[in-house]
Amino acid sequence: MIRLENIRKTYESPGRISHALAGVDLHIRQGEIFGIIGRSGAGKSTLIRMLNLLERPTQGKVCVRDQDITQFTEAQLRQYRHQVGMVFQHFNLLRSRTVLDNVCFPLKLAGMARAERLRRAHEVLALVGLTEHAAKYPRQLSGGQQQRVGIARALANRPEILLCDEATSALDPETTQSILRLLLDINKRLGLTIVLITHGMDVIRTVCDRVAVIDAGMIVESGEVLDVFLHPRHPVTQSLLSESGIDAEGWRDMAQGIGGTLIRLSFRGEATVQPMLSRASRELGLDLSILQGSVSRIKDTPYGQLVIAVQGDPQGQEKLNGLFAQEGVEYEVLRP
Ligand code: ADP
């Protein structure tokens, strides 16, 4: 649905040239939740603002439904922007207007008649669970409720694409979870394509289908969230994961002084709950020690990783791989 081709963005100021985006290619599918993660200064904001041309690329194409929007006339661009909603980190609400007026405002700008505006606004306020707060002012609401207003406002025009610019970064963990659940819900119910930027792997894990990791203006890794979490390849991805407590390399310290073959098992979905270790131990006569383990969820899919040390019957060890393969568990020898 959205395709970025070799996007470059250079900012020039006296004595300094900054390459915010240094050749980005990206494909975002219709109806998915796509996350872009990176450290501060990596180029996330610049990248997401390319998608509605709040920033124009220095070079490259931004294609939406096969149309290069950088070639749009002003009128075409105005039309296109109506199909794209945006949610901001600091909500950006009008403080002197009620919740209802905040949601109606972009519809008014779009020239919609008052009765239709009100109908739409009430509809989206119900969707985000704020019907009772329509007459209040932003200062009377909690941060999470203000962000719900921000989301309602972004949805009022019935966009096809929702862009979220660090939408949960100013919220506490519990409120973050409730806003993320709301994003999941509207993605499912409205079939909306959502693109979000974040510096938190937890946000990616909770809502995204696919992820791209950006560093120094370049996409250094991308793919299905499950794949990237189970097999992060780039050092930036690995350190972002380890900072959020998902450390694939923690076993290295534990392994010193422990004998046997070291194996990493990665499992997703049903396999996670299978009591395979005890079976392996019982049927193959092996001693298995767990050096590191994590079990969690990516959206609705359970997944996990275990690093184990295997000792005992050599014939049993040879059969171990087959036993896990049977159950759909990935098997990787870390130390023979
Ligand atoms: P992120 O959102 O990942 O923190 P940004 O997209 O804001 O990163 O910034 C990427 C790089 O581009 C940074 O080095 C930043 O200093 C630079 N940059 C962003 N916007 C501007 C601007 N308007 N003028 C000059 N440099 C900018």
Side-chain angles (χ1 to χ4, degrees):
M1 180 177 197
I2 304 171
R3 208 176 274 281
L4 300 186
E5 291 177 22
N6 192 24
I7 294 288
R8 292 173 187 274
K9 178 72 184 182
T10 309
Y11 293 105
E12 287 187 41
S13 47
R16 186 163 180 262
I17 294 183
S18 160
H19 299 284
L21 297 175
V24 167
D25 294 292
L26 212 57
H27 175 216
I28 296 164
R29 299 176 189 144
Q30 181 166 4
E32 74 175 339
I33 306 187
F34 191 95
I36 297 162
I37 186 163
R39 297 194 184 287
S40 181
K44 303 181 293 295
S45 311
T46 310
L47 182 55
I48 202 166
R49 291 159 72 88
M50 292 286 150
L51 303 182
N52 53 6
L53 292 191
L54 283 180
E55 294 284 357
R56 280 193 169 267
T58 310
Q59 192 188 317
K61 285 183 182 177
V62 183
C63 295
V64 179
R65 294 195 190 288
D66 293 327
Q67 283 188 298
D68 183 359
I69 63 171
T70 63
Q71 302 299 317
F72 276 1
T73 62
E74 274 303 312
Q76 282 175 312
L77 194 54
R78 257 198 312 279
Q79 183 72 25
Y80 166 72
R81 284 191 175 131
H82 289 157
Q83 299 161 25
V84 185
M86 191 156 190
V87 180
F88 303 91
Q89 179 175 2
H90 296 294
F91 326 134
N92 295 12
L93 302 178
L94 301 167
R95 308 204 64 76
S96 60
R97 303 214 181 198
T98 64
V99 165
L100 186 67
D101 283 347
N102 264 281
V103 177
C104 282
F105 192 65
L107 302 178
K108 192 173 178 180
L109 288 183
M112 191 179 286
R114 185 177 145 78
E116 177 64 8
R117 286 201 304 264
L118 288 173
R119 210 174 62 73
R120 292 270 190 104
H122 283 297
E123 181 184 298
V124 286
L125 284 173
L127 190 69
V128 302
L130 286 184
T131 298
E132 287 146 39
H133 301 283
K136 289 187 181 163
Y137 288 88
R139 64 176 176 278
Q140 296 173 286
L141 303 179
S142 68
Q145 288 169 329
Q146 291 189 46
Q147 191 55 297
R148 281 171 190 265
V149 180
I151 293 172
R153 179 185 56 190
L155 296 178
N157 233 332
R158 297 187 181 149
E160 294 181 357
I161 301 168
L162 184 67
L163 307 178
C164 301
D165 184 351
E166 296 274 7
T168 54
S169 297
L171 304 174
D172 62 62
E174 201 177 319
T175 313
T176 292
Q177 286 307 314
S178 85
I179 293 295
L180 294 179
R181 277 196 300 274
L182 176 63
L183 291 178
L184 274 172
D185 182 52
I186 57 182
N187 164 257
K188 277 210 188 99
R189 274 214 253 177
L190 309 177
L192 204 66
T193 305
I194 299 181
V195 184
L196 62 84
I197 61 171
T198 180
H199 57 266
M201 276 294 187
D202 262 349
V203 171
I204 301 288
R205 184 176 68 76
T206 311
V207 294
C208 292
D209 299 299
R210 292 194 307 137
V211 61
V213 183
I214 184 169
D215 186 51
M218 284 181 279
I219 304 295
V220 294
E221 181 156 6
S222 66
E224 302 284 332
V225 175
L226 260 166
D227 292 332
V228 172
F229 270 56
L230 287 174
H231 303 292
R233 289 189 307 270
H234 196 273
V236 170
T237 319
Q238 289 165 356
S239 66
L240 285 166
L241 281 168
S242 107
E243 283 155 29
S244 49
I246 309 160
D247 185 1
E249 302 300 319
W251 58 272
R252 289 187 190 278
D253 293 339
M254 297 284 289
Q256 286 172 13
I258 292 192
T261 310
L262 293 193
I263 288 161
R264 173 155 46 210
L265 305 169
S266 304
F267 36 82
R268 42 186 101 193
E270 282 307 300
T272 305
V273 292
Q274 304 283 347
M276 273 174 294
L277 291 181
S278 55
R279 217 186 114 196
S281 168
R282 200 171 53 236
E283 293 180 10
L284 304 178
L286 299 172
D287 284 323
L288 308 173
S289 342
I290 297 176
L291 302 187
Q292 189 191 349
S294 66
V295 180
S296 189
R297 261 172 198 281
I298 287 177
K299 289 190 91 168
D300 301 328
T301 310
Y303 80 104
Q305 228 161 27
L306 277 185
V307 177
I308 56 174
V310 182
Q311 286 176 301
D313 181 10
Q315 282 186 340
Q317 292 205 31
E318 277 174 27
K319 291 185 189 152
L320 192 61
N321 187 358
L323 186 132
F324 285 113
Q326 235 174 38
E327 302 289 347
V329 174
E330 286 172 44
Y331 180 101
E332 180 191 352
V333 177
L334 298 173
R335 188 186 73 192

